[in-house]
Amino acid sequence: PRSLLQRLRVEPRAASLAAKIRGTLGIDAKIEVGARGQFDVVVDGETIASRQKGLLIRLLGGGWPDEDQVVKELERRRTAASR
């Protein structure tokens, strides 16, 4: 089972990123529970952003993907796919 600390750190960030993707691009992002400390953004089976794996960084609460960069990458992929 996930710890309270993990739920407090990961779930709000996932929900925030999903809301930003939905609000900016109109895409409904799917949130799935992963391994402890895992935070990956996967598009068509390819990881486009991931929380850094370093234990010290994770323990200090860092390494989260930048929401704006994730949205820009999704926009870039959408534009490339429509050409």
Side-chain angles (χ1 to χ4, degrees):
R2 293 176 299 144
S3 70
L4 175 60
L5 183 59
Q6 181 183 10
R7 288 193 310 267
L8 292 175
R9 285 186 177 170
V10 176
E11 290 177 8
R13 290 178 188 271
S16 174
L17 180 54
K20 185 167 191 129
I21 291 169
R22 185 173 28 261
T24 305
L25 302 172
I27 299 170
D28 284 326
K30 181 178 175 184
I31 299 172
E32 296 180 0
V33 175
R36 180 172 290 189
Q38 180 180 357
F39 190 99
D40 298 329
V41 179
V42 181
V43 177
D44 296 329
E46 181 183 348
T47 301
I48 64 166
S50 182
R51 186 170 182 202
Q52 294 178 0
K53 304 292 186 205
L55 179 61
L56 180 59
I57 291 170
R58 287 198 331 237
L59 289 174
L60 295 174
W64 300 97
D66 179 85
E67 289 185 2
D68 291 331
Q69 289 178 348
V70 170
V71 169
K72 285 179 186 177
E73 176 61 17
L74 292 171
E75 288 173 327
R76 184 192 71 74
R77 287 170 177 264
R78 177 186 269 181
T79 300
S82 66
R83 291 183 184 176

